[in-house]
Amino acid sequence: MTGGSGGIGGAVAQALAADGMSVVVHYSGSAERAKEVVASIEARGGTAVAASGDVADADDMTNLFDIAHERFGGVDVVVNTAGIMLLAPLADLDLDAFDRMHRVNVRGTFVVSQLAARRLRSGGALINFSTSVTRLQQPTYGAYAATKGAVEAMTLILARELRGKDITVNTVAPGPTATPLFLEGKSDELVGQIAAASPLGRLGTPDDIARTVAFLAGPDGRWTNGQVLFANGGIA
């Protein structure tokens, strides 16, 4: 899985391992966090290995799939949580920032999805990541939401292109989730306001998102295909 060292990504890796899967924990920047996720999985009796790479680089991602094949015999589930978010009003956003997001969020998703389409075994699952901001239409999120709209489009089309292969393709679109990255720089008052927007009266947790992914990755999710699942507690 890509982005496995992040807050949501780490939770997803641990949830899949708890369900009995061997996990390749990908990282691009933080080797230490990825190693911590692997150590946590192994401490609970699971199997995992950390591997680095640029999600937008086809050779790096081919190597990631090769590691999964060599270590574990093949690829049954691909979860693509890697992404970056750079915020500014559309009129003010630096185009270099837009290009960076496009490279990771759109090209990266495309590269990983293309390899998944070629290398997932029958009965497999690809799970990409979008965001509930595509529905919320919040100011300053325009460029980021645009990249995730592209993720949704390619995911839903790929699900139909893989007809007959017994491979499901879905996207998870989290709402506000209490990760360190989300909470950074926000006052308690602002966090409270965001939490109150949900009918459930709280922020999501990484484990909430991880269990949604585990459902799609496991046997109970086999009839869910070509969908965007908004895992947001009803905020949108």
Side-chain angles (χ1 to χ4, degrees):
M1 63 166 297
T2 69
S5 65
I8 290 176
V12 170
Q14 295 191 59
L16 297 182
D19 284 348
M21 300 182 194
S22 299
V23 183
V24 177
V25 179
H26 160 268
Y27 65 94
S28 61
S30 179
E32 286 306 313
R33 287 207 304 267
K35 290 176 182 176
E36 289 170 4
V37 173
V38 169
S40 178
I41 289 170
E42 292 177 338
R44 292 173 169 83
T47 303
V49 61
S52 65
D54 175 358
V55 291
D57 186 285
D59 290 338
D60 281 5
M61 291 301 97
T62 297
N63 181 60
L64 200 72
F65 278 74
D66 288 345
I67 289 170
H69 183 83
E70 292 163 6
R71 292 290 297 271
F72 307 127
V75 181
D76 296 302
V77 175
V78 174
V79 184
N80 193 21
T81 69
I84 61 172
M85 180 173 66
L86 304 170
L87 304 181
L90 191 146
D92 301 328
L93 183 74
D94 185 271
L95 287 177
D96 287 342
F98 179 82
D99 288 343
R100 285 174 58 200
M101 280 193 292
H102 190 277
R103 187 175 192 281
V104 175
N105 298 356
V106 180
R107 179 186 166 96
T109 299
F110 188 92
V111 166
V112 173
S113 296
Q114 186 176 68
L115 286 165
R118 295 170 177 171
R119 300 186 61 170
L120 274 167
R121 296 189 286 201
S122 178
L126 167 63
I127 300 134
N128 285 324
F129 264 67
S130 180
T131 172
S132 288
V133 175
T134 56
R135 286 185 174 181
L136 295 172
Q137 293 104 41
Q138 293 170 289
T140 75
Y141 283 80
Y144 173 69
T147 67
K148 292 303 189 176
V151 168
E152 292 182 13
M154 74 174 79
T155 301
L156 301 187
I157 291 170
L158 180 57
R160 284 132 184 101
E161 290 179 345
L162 295 183
R163 175 184 296 272
K165 294 183 179 294
D166 192 25
I167 294 170
T168 62
V169 187
N170 294 287
T171 291
V172 173
T177 305
T179 63
L181 182 63
F182 174 82
L183 296 172
E184 182 179 356
K186 293 182 174 68
S187 67
D188 291 343
E189 180 182 6
L190 177 57
V191 171
Q193 290 172 354
I194 296 171
S198 167
L200 297 179
R202 65 174 179 87
L203 296 177
T205 69
D207 285 342
D208 290 326
I209 311 306
R211 293 319 306 169
T212 302
V213 173
F215 162 73
L216 293 172
D220 292 339
R222 294 306 303 166
W223 195 236
T224 303
N225 187 33
Q227 303 299 318
V228 179
L229 270 66
F230 286 85
N232 59 27
I235 198 170

